[in-house]
């Protein structure tokens, strides 16, 4: 069951990474205004998500991949929470997105805590 959940997480990350190249405008809209070169950040984060997803799927590197997935998803959660506390418009949608991201972090944390 653990291998299935880890493989699913890896596949999820690969799919999200690919979506950076299929829908770059959406992902650019998520980049905080304070960060420079949003186009480069979208491409870089897409590549990182694909790489972490692949590493998470491969049994030999799965533990490392799960830790990297947890770190990546946690950093995204921090960005969603920061957006939540900075905005008035669309607050419900932002709160929902933060909640969904918290579920992703929980998924990765459970995988890390149960080992490879």
């Amino acid at each position: 069951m653990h291998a299935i959940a880890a493989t699913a997480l890896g596949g999820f990350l690969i799919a999200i990474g690919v979506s950076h190249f299929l829908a770059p405008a959406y992902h650019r809209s998520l980049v905080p205004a304070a960060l420079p070169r949003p186009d480069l950040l979208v491409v870089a984060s897409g590549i990182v998500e694909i790489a972490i997803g692949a590493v998470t799927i491969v049994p030999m590197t799965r533990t490392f991949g799960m830790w990297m997935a947890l770190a990546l998803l946690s950093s995204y959660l921090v960005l969603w929470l920061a957006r939540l506390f900075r905005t008035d418009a669309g607050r419900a949608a932002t709160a929902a997105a933060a909640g969904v991201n918290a579920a992703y972090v929980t998924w990765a944390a459970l995988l890390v805590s149960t080992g490879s």
Side-chain angles (χ1 to χ4, degrees):
M1 185 62 135
H2 187 271
I4 294 169
T7 301
L9 177 61
F12 168 75
L13 287 171
I14 290 171
I16 295 300
V18 168
S19 77
H20 283 65
F21 301 97
L22 299 177
Y26 168 73
H27 291 282
R28 271 194 305 275
S29 74
L30 300 176
V31 175
L35 297 178
R37 303 189 64 192
D39 290 333
L40 178 61
L41 291 173
V42 167
V43 169
S45 61
I47 291 169
V48 167
E49 286 173 343
I50 292 168
I52 291 174
V55 170
T56 302
I57 290 173
V58 176
M60 192 170 175
T61 57
R62 183 167 290 145
T63 300
F64 176 72
M66 291 184 307
W67 277 103
M68 293 299 97
L70 178 58
L72 179 69
L73 293 169
S74 295
S75 71
Y76 290 165
L77 179 58
V78 168
L79 292 174
W80 279 111
L81 292 173
R83 179 176 286 186
L84 178 63
F85 292 112
R86 277 194 321 244
T87 187
D88 289 328
R91 195 168 179 91
T94 303
V100 168
N101 199 268
Y104 298 151
V105 169
T106 302
W107 182 9
L110 286 171
L111 287 171
V112 165
S113 70
T114 58
S116 61

